Amino acid sequence: MDNTTPPDPVIELDHIRYAYPGEDPVLRDLSFTLNRGERTGLLAPNGSGKTTLFHVIVGLLPISGGTIRILGRNMESEKDFVWARKKAGLLFQDADDQLFSPTVIDDVAFGPLNMGKTREEALSVSRRVLSFLGLSEFENRITFKLSGGEKKLVSLATILSMEPEVLLLDEPLNGLDQATRTRLTGVLESIDASYIIISHDIDFLLDCTDTIYCLRDGKTEKDTTVHVHSHDHAHMMGHIPHQHK
Amino acid sequence: MLSEPFSIGNSVIHRIDPRHRILAAFLYSVVVAVLYQLQALALATAFSGLLVKTAGLDGKAVFRRLALVNGFVALFWLILPFTAKGDILFEAGPLTVYEAGVLMALQITLKSNAIIMAFISLVSTMSFSTLGYALRSLKLPHKLVFLFILTYRYIFVIEQEYRKIWRSVKVRGFSPATSIHCYKTYAYMIGMIFVRAAARADRVYRAMLCRGFNGRFHSLSDFPASGKNGLFLFIAIVCTVLLVSTEWYFHG
Ligand SMILES: Nc1ncnc2c1ncn2[C@@H]1O[C@H](COP(=O)(O)OP(=O)(O)OP(=O)(O)O)[C@@H](O)[C@H]1O
Ligand SMILES: [Mg+2]
């Protein structure tokens, strides 16, 4: 790529290490950089630490070594992370964990209100995001009565309403039908943010991302095998990384 | 996710300023908690029932929540009637049932049901963030509001986990019986409920942190001043005065 503009790192992880209490480290000596405008995929087996990595990035899990920089700022204390969470929107793997307000609009406006927006501003940004996602008629729906796929989309709305600069999407396709997937792909294409997507669906990653990384032994690796393999196709078992000879 | 089935509605109660509702619920439950005369307690239970009706809540859902509370109350019935000393009500074989114990258990039952019903209809009828917001505007300290709100949420989470686990046990053909297998299942279930509720509460809290939550609550809805608020508070005070007078009258 012949990028003439110097890279502007959004997320920089430098030799970070994380272990759940009393267990072997899940992330060891992991370094990774996401530059502005980059659209990255993360593809790795179950239990390899993808979700853990996202939670580490926004400071929900404290690292035991290494440094994290978000938009050039060193993450040293909870205060830094509080600031960073407004810049980096995390979509949880399980939408049930993300939604906690009774109605959709309450939930979508929760972030903007916390960021100090007035009631009117929060409502207007929330409505704009809902209509952007084609969810306008969901405004007054009750969150716990939504279907699984609807919850996933509303969760995305709760994050977009905070107007983050980088998105961390943990398996956004979970429970989405073909039409909604296409809509999500369209949304991601038109969005002006850098992002990392965790997904087990390689076709989706090829559509929405420029680079795909893999997590192996607690470290990220650029998966060149997958990278060169970027033509559109679909066939049985097509979701498993593979090569056409 | 946390469900707040009661907070959605458009009854007279839902439209009253949340601050007035909280004040009324607080006043009412303090008074009910100190009542002793059965007549006064019965009247309180009737008032609370009327409140639930006015709030237009789903009877079945209210009943389920009450059942949960009465599960704990049942423990008192298992112990108090046989242990409190004093006049004997009757003797059945080796068991002696004491009047004072029965009375105490009855008081606890009425009190807790009256208070819970009042809280369900006055406080559960507002959303989680509206509640936090209202408590804040009643000038309670941030830390206290936060603590209170999370405790309150926790109860709902536990109930939800209980229902989920129960469903999962049922679809796998479990039916209650007196066997080791059955007791073991119950023990696992109770353990799982608390472990999962704690984990769930933790994840929801994380989700709130991710969205810039800093201990302060905001509300989307506006509660304009209206004559109804004053009227509501007036009725609440009249009811509590009635309860106190009943107590005095029968105290005699
Ligand atoms: N709360 C926890 N306590 C202890 N170990 C955990 C906890 N959460 C996850 N783990 C372990 O950490 C490892 C990584 O988990 P993680 O959830 O990050 O995997 P993942 O890559 O997101 O998997 P999936 O594709 O299934 O979502 C797993 O081996 C898991 O067992
Ligand atoms: Mg995961």
Side-chain angles (χ1 to χ4, degrees), chain B residues 38 77 80-82 84-90 96-107:
Chain B
L38 287 182
W77 280 102
L80 286 178
F82 311 106
K85 298 283 175 270
D87 293 343
I88 291 170
L89 197 62
F90 62 85
T96 317
V97 177
Y98 297 97
E99 202 182 303
V102 171
L103 191 68
M104 227 190 287
L106 198 59
Q107 281 166 344

Side-chain angles (χ1 to χ4, degrees), chain B residues 4-41:
Chain B
E4 298 180 307
F6 299 138
S7 71
I8 295 125
N10 203 19
S11 72
V12 191
I13 301 219
H14 283 89
R15 274 175 282 143
I16 287 165
D17 187 325
R19 281 165 299 185
H20 288 67
R21 278 191 264 159
I22 292 171
L23 279 180
F26 184 72
L27 175 78
Y28 182 78
S29 41
V30 167
V31 169
V32 173
V34 298
L35 295 179
Y36 276 99
Q37 301 304 320
L38 287 182
Q39 293 87 343
L41 282 168

Side-chain angles (χ1 to χ4, degrees), chain B residues 10-246:
Chain B
N10 203 19
S11 72
V12 191
I13 301 219
H14 283 89
R15 274 175 282 143
I16 287 165
D17 187 325
R19 281 165 299 185
H20 288 67
R21 278 191 264 159
I22 292 171
L23 279 180
F26 184 72
L27 175 78
Y28 182 78
S29 41
V30 167
V31 169
V32 173
V34 298
L35 295 179
Y36 276 99
Q37 301 304 320
L38 287 182
Q39 293 87 343
L41 282 168
L43 187 63
T45 313
F47 281 156
S48 297
L50 221 63
L51 263 177
V52 171
K53 188 124 187 63
T54 319
L57 302 175
D58 174 18
K60 257 204 217 134
V62 175
F63 191 76
R64 267 202 305 268
R65 205 145 285 177
L66 284 178
L68 204 68
V69 175
N70 285 314
F72 287 106
V73 170
L75 289 179
F76 288 104
W77 280 102
L78 282 181
I79 300 164
L80 286 178
F82 311 106
T83 50
K85 298 283 175 270
D87 293 343
I88 291 170
L89 197 62
F90 62 85
E91 277 173 287
L95 285 177
T96 317
V97 177
Y98 297 97
E99 202 182 303
V102 171
L103 191 68
M104 227 190 287
L106 198 59
Q107 281 166 344
I108 291 174
T109 311
L110 290 175
K111 266 185 209 185
S112 40
N113 281 288
I115 292 176
I116 300 282
M117 281 197 287
F119 262 85
I120 287 178
S121 37
L122 293 175
V123 182
S124 305
T125 43
M126 57 186 90
S127 79
F128 167 46
S129 41
T130 302
L131 176 59
Y133 177 74
L135 286 174
R136 242 331 264 165
S137 50
L138 286 171
K139 304 272 176 280
L140 255 69
H142 275 308
K143 289 236 161 64
L144 204 65
V145 171
F146 184 57
L147 198 76
F148 179 77
I149 289 281
L150 287 196
T151 313
Y152 171 80
R153 299 302 318 161
Y154 221 67
I155 297 169
F156 290 79
V157 179
I158 291 177
E159 186 219 5
Q160 223 179 18
E161 291 301 332
Y162 160 78
R163 265 197 263 153
K164 257 203 281 185
I165 291 176
W166 188 233
R167 218 175 324 166
S168 128
V169 164
K170 260 200 312 209
V171 296
R172 282 184 279 161
F174 175 81
S175 64
T178 41
S179 67
I180 288 293
H181 166 70
C182 185
Y183 291 134
K184 218 165 80 184
T185 309
Y186 280 134
Y188 286 160
M189 273 172 63
I190 293 169
M192 270 320 266
I193 286 169
F194 286 97
V195 169
R196 279 172 44 168
R200 165 67 73 88
D202 195 47
R203 290 196 303 266
V204 170
Y205 180 60
R206 284 182 185 181
M208 292 170 69
L209 283 184
C210 281
R211 288 204 267 145
F213 178 71
N214 57 0
R216 268 158 226 264
F217 290 91
H218 307 270
S219 175
L220 260 190
S221 24
D222 205 10
F223 293 92
S226 103
K228 284 217 184 78
N229 290 333
L231 182 66
F232 167 77
L233 220 50
F234 177 72
I235 295 175
I237 291 169
V238 168
C239 287
T240 37
V241 168
L242 269 175
L243 289 178
V244 174
S245 336
T246 316

Side-chain angles (χ1 to χ4, degrees), chain A residues 18-21 23-27 42 44-55 61 93 170-171 174 198 200 215, chain B residues 202 206:
Chain A
Y18 181 80
Y20 284 99
E23 317 234 352
D24 286 342
V26 180
L27 309 173
L42 189 56
N46 293 131
S48 55
K50 305 179 297 297
T51 300
T52 308
L53 176 65
F54 274 10
H55 286 215
L61 299 172
Q93 181 165 0
D170 198 344
E171 305 200 10
N174 266 0
I198 294 176
H200 295 291
L215 255 185
Chain B
D202 195 47
R206 284 182 185 181

Side-chain angles (χ1 to χ4, degrees), chain A residues 81-148:
Chain A
F81 281 116
V82 166
W83 171 85
R85 286 179 202 130
K86 295 174 183 169
K87 310 285 177 190
L90 170 61
L91 181 80
F92 281 64
Q93 181 165 0
D94 185 350
D96 274 341
D97 295 336
Q98 193 123 31
L99 305 174
F100 47 80
S101 304
T103 64
V104 168
I105 192 80
D106 274 320
D107 223 310
V108 179
F110 183 82
L113 283 173
N114 284 333
M115 292 171 77
K117 290 213 159 57
T118 65
R119 200 176 281 166
E120 287 71 35
E121 287 167 347
L123 266 176
S124 101
V125 67
S126 305
R127 295 213 166 105
R128 203 167 61 233
V129 167
L130 284 175
S131 98
F132 175 62
L133 291 176
L135 296 173
S136 288
E137 72 274 27
F138 279 66
E139 195 177 309
N140 291 312
R141 289 279 298 276
I142 297 160
T143 47
F144 63 91
K145 289 190 183 164
L146 297 174
S147 80

Side-chain angles (χ1 to χ4, degrees), chain A residues 5-245:
Chain A
T5 47
D8 173 11
V10 187
I11 297 175
E12 294 164 89
L13 307 176
D14 194 21
H15 299 289
I16 60 163
R17 192 190 134 85
Y18 181 80
Y20 284 99
E23 317 234 352
D24 286 342
V26 180
L27 309 173
R28 45 189 127 203
D29 205 27
L30 181 148
S31 298
F32 172 83
T33 306
L34 181 80
N35 290 311
R36 190 174 297 280
E38 271 181 0
R39 311 181 313 149
T40 305
L42 189 56
L43 180 95
N46 293 131
S48 55
K50 305 179 297 297
T51 300
T52 308
L53 176 65
F54 274 10
H55 286 215
V56 158
I57 292 176
V58 294
L60 294 175
L61 299 172
I63 48 174
S64 55
T67 51
I68 301 178
R69 285 162 72 81
I70 308 242
L71 294 163
R73 177 165 164 175
N74 248 332
M75 296 294 114
E76 273 157 8
S77 62
E78 174 64 15
K79 222 169 97 202
D80 297 316
F81 281 116
V82 166
W83 171 85
R85 286 179 202 130
K86 295 174 183 169
K87 310 285 177 190
L90 170 61
L91 181 80
F92 281 64
Q93 181 165 0
D94 185 350
D96 274 341
D97 295 336
Q98 193 123 31
L99 305 174
F100 47 80
S101 304
T103 64
V104 168
I105 192 80
D106 274 320
D107 223 310
V108 179
F110 183 82
L113 283 173
N114 284 333
M115 292 171 77
K117 290 213 159 57
T118 65
R119 200 176 281 166
E120 287 71 35
E121 287 167 347
L123 266 176
S124 101
V125 67
S126 305
R127 295 213 166 105
R128 203 167 61 233
V129 167
L130 284 175
S131 98
F132 175 62
L133 291 176
L135 296 173
S136 288
E137 72 274 27
F138 279 66
E139 195 177 309
N140 291 312
R141 289 279 298 276
I142 297 160
T143 47
F144 63 91
K145 289 190 183 164
L146 297 174
S147 80
E150 291 166 344
K151 279 180 199 163
K152 205 78 201 188
L153 284 177
V154 171
S155 300
L156 185 62
T158 66
I159 286 156
L160 292 182
S161 66
M162 293 175 74
E163 303 173 316
E165 296 188 29
V166 52
L167 298 175
L168 304 172
L169 308 178
D170 198 344
E171 305 200 10
L173 285 190
N174 266 0
L176 298 191
D177 61 26
Q178 201 56 46
T180 320
R181 283 171 64 137
T182 315
R183 206 158 93 208
L184 183 64
T185 312
V187 164
L188 289 175
E189 263 160 17
S190 61
I191 241 168
D192 182 31
S194 328
Y195 52 73
I196 309 177
I197 300 179
I198 294 176
S199 178
H200 295 291
D201 188 307
I202 191 147
D203 290 327
F204 172 70
L205 289 181
L206 290 172
D207 274 345
C208 297
T209 65
D210 305 318
T211 320
I212 298 173
Y213 284 85
C214 189
L215 255 185
R216 219 166 269 145
D217 302 326
K219 296 178 185 177
T220 51
E221 289 173 9
K222 198 177 264 188
D223 208 320
T224 45
T225 330
V226 178
H227 193 45
V228 295
H229 179 79
S230 63
H231 55 272
D232 280 328
H233 69 295
H235 51 68
M236 291 288 277
M237 310 303 284
H239 59 291
I240 295 170
H242 59 281
Q243 233 169 351
H244 292 249
K245 297 255 161 70

